[in-house]
C-alpha cells in the first residue's frame, strides 16, 4: 500500500521560522515526527549539502528545498506557509510557500 506524498499532518501553518535553516529544520522535524525520516540530523545534513549546490527559491514566493537521502523511509513533501517569508535565494524575494521534498536515495 502506498502512502500519500503529503498529509494534513505534514503542513506547518503558520511557519514562523525566520531563516532558511530553521525553516528546513522545522519541516524536517515534522517529517521525522511522522516516521518518514529515520535520522533527522543525517537527513538535515543531506538537505544542507543540496542547498549548498544551488538556491532553491523560485519566483512567485516559493521555496523548494529538497534532497535524496537514505534516511527517507517514505517519499514525502512537508509544506510550510510563512506569512513573513523566508529567503531561499529567489530573485524576486522571500518564499511564503515552502515545500520540503524528501526522496529516498
Amino acid at each position: 500500500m502506498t502512502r500519500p506524498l503529503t498529509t494534513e499532518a505534514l503542513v506547518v501553518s503558520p511557519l514562523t521560522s525566520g531563516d532558511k535553516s530553521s525553516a528546513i529544520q522545522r519541516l524536517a522535524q515534522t517529517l521525522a515526527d511522522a516516521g518518514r525520516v529515520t535520522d533527522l540530523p543525517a537527513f538535515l545534513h543531506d538537505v544542507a549539502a543540496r542547498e549548498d549546490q544551488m538556491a532553491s527559491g523560485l519566483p512567485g514566493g516559493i521555496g523548494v528545498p529538497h534532497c535524496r537521502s537514505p534516511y527517507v523511509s517514505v517519499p514525502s513533501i512537508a509544506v510550510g506557509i510563512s506569512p513573513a517569508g523566508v529567503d531561499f535565494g529567489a530573485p524576486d524575494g522571500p518564499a511564503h510557500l515552502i515545500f520540503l521534498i524528501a526522496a529516498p536515495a
Side-chain angles (χ1 to χ4, degrees):
M1 180 172 172
T2 61
R3 292 171 65 183
L5 286 174
T6 196
T7 66
E8 187 176 335
L10 299 179
V11 177
V12 178
S13 179
L15 178 64
T16 57
S17 303
D19 61 37
K20 177 172 69 169
S21 178
S22 61
I24 291 171
Q25 165 73 37
R26 176 67 179 92
L27 293 173
Q29 183 67 58
T30 300
L31 293 173
D33 291 347
R36 292 169 175 248
V37 167
T38 60
D39 183 329
L40 182 59
F43 174 71
L44 286 168
H45 178 270
D46 291 344
V47 175
R50 169 56 193 87
E51 283 293 306
D52 286 345
Q53 293 176 1
M54 181 192 302
S56 59
L58 299 175
I62 298 171
V64 288
H66 60 282
C67 75
R68 290 187 179 274
S69 173
Y71 307 104
V72 175
S73 57
V74 178
S76 303
I77 301 173
V79 179
I81 300 169
S82 173
V86 177
D87 183 7
F88 274 87
D92 66 343
H96 295 278
L97 187 55
I98 301 155
F99 300 97
L100 175 57
I101 302 171

